[in-house]
Amino acid sequence: MNTKAVARPAIVLLLISAVAAGLLGVVSEVTAAPIAAQNEKSLNEGMQAVMPDASSFEQLDVELTGTITAVYKGDNGGFVLTTAPGGFGGAVNTMVGIDADGVITGLRVTSHSETAGLGAKSTEPAFYEQFAGKSGSVSVTKDGGEIVPITSSTITSRAVCSGAQEALDWVAANGGAY
């Protein structure tokens, strides 16, 4: 076997790989700040949507339990919690606003892997607006609650209810401490 016949393509491939890796590194560095800024903007817009009476939010350094992923305190005394309960296709990330009295001020599904046309309907106002004004126990009608589940997507509906309930429970247990 001829070593030159193998070495030359290997060196060329190594150089191409090194250039590609370098370019990917540069692109990553250039886009990191704009991506972080956009994520921060989306987070703030989401919190404003679920708790319109607050103008600023501070992330609390608290022990996270269950599917709660973050807790923020609004300048109005309310809280915004993010949760990630399991749905049909994976985690259904929700953002729940709860006022100082323990009442849901708003809820949004921020991301999911649910079936298009079914569980994906959890992002539509017809579904998530049902949560505003709820307190105490939150569940779908099939489980004795007041939330009308998405047709053919009870698992997703239950997941969103579960996230809302976890947020309500956290505020009931910890809200007075913050």
Side-chain angles (χ1 to χ4, degrees):
M1 181 168 181
N2 187 352
T3 351
K4 284 186 178 182
V6 173
R8 184 176 177 125
I11 291 171
V12 170
L13 184 59
L14 177 66
L15 290 173
I16 291 171
S17 298
V19 169
L23 288 173
L24 283 172
V26 169
V27 169
S28 177
E29 282 297 314
V30 169
T31 59
I35 289 171
Q38 182 59 41
N39 288 342
E40 183 73 21
K41 180 182 175 200
S42 295
L43 176 66
N44 287 330
E45 288 173 352
M47 288 192 287
Q48 200 65 50
V50 299
M51 185 165 286
D53 291 344
S55 57
S56 66
F57 302 90
E58 173 190 356
Q59 185 168 6
L60 300 179
D61 183 20
V62 297
E63 182 179 338
L64 303 174
T65 59
T67 65
I68 295 173
T69 57
V71 178
Y72 302 87
K73 179 149 188 180
D75 59 1
N76 66 345
F79 296 89
V80 174
L81 291 89
T82 58
T83 65
F88 182 74
V92 179
N93 296 313
T94 60
M95 183 177 286
V96 185
I98 301 174
D99 67 17
D101 297 324
V103 177
I104 295 176
T105 58
L107 180 142
R108 296 294 186 281
V109 173
T110 57
S111 67
H112 62 83
S113 300
E114 302 302 280
T115 307
L118 294 175
K121 290 184 179 184
S122 62
T123 61
E124 295 178 3
F127 178 70
Y128 66 71
E129 286 178 350
Q130 298 180 79
F131 291 87
K134 300 289 188 259
S135 62
S137 179
V138 178
S139 60
V140 295
T141 54
K142 290 181 178 184
D143 298 334
E146 299 177 2
I147 304 299
V148 178
I150 301 163
T151 303
S152 299
S153 192
T154 306
I155 294 173
T156 303
S157 302
R158 282 183 174 134
V160 176
C161 286
S162 172
Q165 188 63 56
E166 269 196 88
L168 282 167
D169 293 344
W170 187 93
V171 171
N174 302 290
Y178 295 98

